[in-house]
Structures are given as C-alpha cells and as structure tokens.
Amino acid sequence: MGPLGAASLGLGDLVAAGRFLSRQEFLAKSVDDSFGAARALVWLAEVALSLGSPSDAIEIATRGRGVAEAAGLTTWGAYANRIIGRAMRERGEAGAPVTEAALAVFQGQRLPLGEALCLWDLGVAGEGADHARLSKALGIFASLGLVDRVSEVLLDLRRIGTSPRGASPDVDVLLSAVGLSGRCSEAVESELVHDDPIGLAKATAARTSTKRNVARLALLSISPPGLVVLAALGV
C-alpha cells in the first residue's frame, strides 16, 4: 500500500494517495510496524497539506513524529518536522525553527533529498527569497534528476518575482522544466495566459518549432533519399 500511496502522491492523485496511505497506516499499526506507520503518517500529512489543510497536516505529522521518535527513526522524524514547519508557515506561524531542526538531521545523516527540501522551504519562508539556499536546493534536485522539484522551485521564484540572477526565471526555461515533469504544465500555462501572455506565446512557438524539427529528424532516419530532400525542405 505504501508504494501505491507514494506513487499516487507523486502523480498528484491525492484522493487515491490518501486511501492507500490510510490503509498502510492501519496495516502497519496492526503488526507493530513502526517504520511503515511513521512513513504512512508523514505522507498522509503531505496529502493534507496539499489539500490545503495545514492544521490537519500538523496533527498527522505530529503523530508520525511521535511514532518515529519512539522507534528511533530519526529520518522519518525529520521528515515529519519538515511538514510541520511548512504547515506552520501556511498558517502564518514561525515554522523556520522546526525546519532548521529537520535540516540539521538531514545534513548530519548526509541525506541530500531531505536537505534540499528543507533548503527550499527555508529559501521561500521570508519576505523575499534566500537565493543561496534556493540555489543549493536546485543544485541538489538537479543532481538527483528530480525535474519535478526543479520546476516547483522555479514556480516559487517566478511568483516571488526574483531569482539568483535578479529577474524572474525565463518563461521558456520554466515551461521546459514543467513540461518534463508532466505534473503541472496545464496549470502553469493557464497562469501565464494572464501573467505573461507574450512570453508564453514566444515559448510555445519555440517549443512547436523544436517538436517540428524532431519530427523531421525522425522522418529522415527512416526515409529513402528522395524523401530526405523533401523533409529537409520542410515539405
């Protein structure tokens, strides 16, 4: 149930994720599986936060942290604290100290994913953006091949209106990352229709041209000489 819940959460199917993870927690508790229960509760807290219920997220993550601490599962306790910190920020409270505590655990255990997630949270926690922390988070996400996370950080930077270079991330770069993530491209493009229609139009035209060229290259790879000339001419 846990892998199914995690997969559903990754795909953005929060209803399915909640169903699978609730079942996992029940089964884990029934066989005294502290690891499974703590993991399920942390992911359930993530679901609650994604559904816009920070208070529920704090309650669930606190339960998960209790299970993790009782079993000596410091990594999952840190993941629980990371969600509590985010949820506190959503409620307008100071969640940074809780996130800093989670960050210290991840850095001490040399867990790059947890470290990057906390750096991202702390990088957007204030009035503006902590570019040093966000740059480090982006570097870790990129090194892990997590284009979903890279696109989410870029979206946050665009909403804040800044980046480590000064200006907001370019629309074409943002759309490229979001397009590869396959999770939120439609929502982003809908947002850009209102925020930056010219930038969206230019990026869309460039992307269409790229797709056309790729299609022609595919044709060239299988075509006899006569058709190669026509494909090269764009006929």
Side-chain angles (χ1 to χ4, degrees), residues 166-179:
S168 297
D170 291 336
V171 173
D172 53 350
V173 174
L174 175 61
L175 288 177
S176 296
V178 170

Side-chain angles (χ1 to χ4, degrees), residues 156-169:
D156 275 347
L157 287 171
R158 184 164 183 83
R159 288 171 183 140
I160 295 170
T162 184
S163 76
R165 287 191 173 185
S168 297

Side-chain angles (χ1 to χ4, degrees), residues 6-85:
S8 299
L9 182 60
L11 292 171
D13 189 345
L14 301 178
V15 174
R19 184 172 65 251
F20 287 129
L21 293 169
S22 295
R23 182 65 175 165
Q24 185 202 1
E25 185 209 356
F26 172 80
L27 292 173
K29 286 172 63 178
S30 68
V31 296
D32 293 324
D33 177 8
S34 297
F35 177 87
R39 181 177 62 178
L41 286 166
V42 167
W43 283 340
L44 280 169
E46 183 82 41
V47 170
L49 193 56
S50 298
L51 289 171
S53 302
S55 295
D56 289 341
I58 290 173
E59 187 272 328
I60 297 169
T62 300
R63 285 167 51 206
R65 183 177 63 187
V67 172
E69 289 177 346
L73 302 169
T74 55
T75 299
W76 285 102
Y79 275 118
N81 271 336
R82 187 239 166 183
I83 293 175
I84 291 170

Side-chain angles (χ1 to χ4, degrees), residues 8 21 30 38 45 48 86 101 108 119 127 133 139 152 168 224-225:
S8 299
L21 293 169
S30 68
R86 288 172 59 209
L119 289 171
E127 292 273 330
R133 281 179 156 166
E152 289 175 300
S168 297

Side-chain angles (χ1 to χ4, degrees), residues 85-107:
R86 288 172 59 209
M88 290 177 67
R89 190 182 76 207
E90 291 290 323
R91 295 202 310 191
E93 301 169 6
V98 183
T99 308
E100 293 278 9
L103 175 61
V105 171
F106 291 130
Q107 289 177 330

Side-chain angles (χ1 to χ4, degrees), residues 181-217:
S181 75
R183 287 176 55 182
C184 49
S185 57
E186 290 185 6
V188 172
E189 291 189 15
S190 297
E191 185 177 313
L192 290 172
V193 166
H194 300 286
D195 295 346
D196 191 354
I198 295 176
L200 175 61
K202 290 179 179 178
T204 302
R207 185 169 55 186
T208 300
S209 177
T210 300
K211 289 180 178 179
R212 187 180 296 118
N213 289 334
V214 170
R216 287 173 178 164
L217 285 172

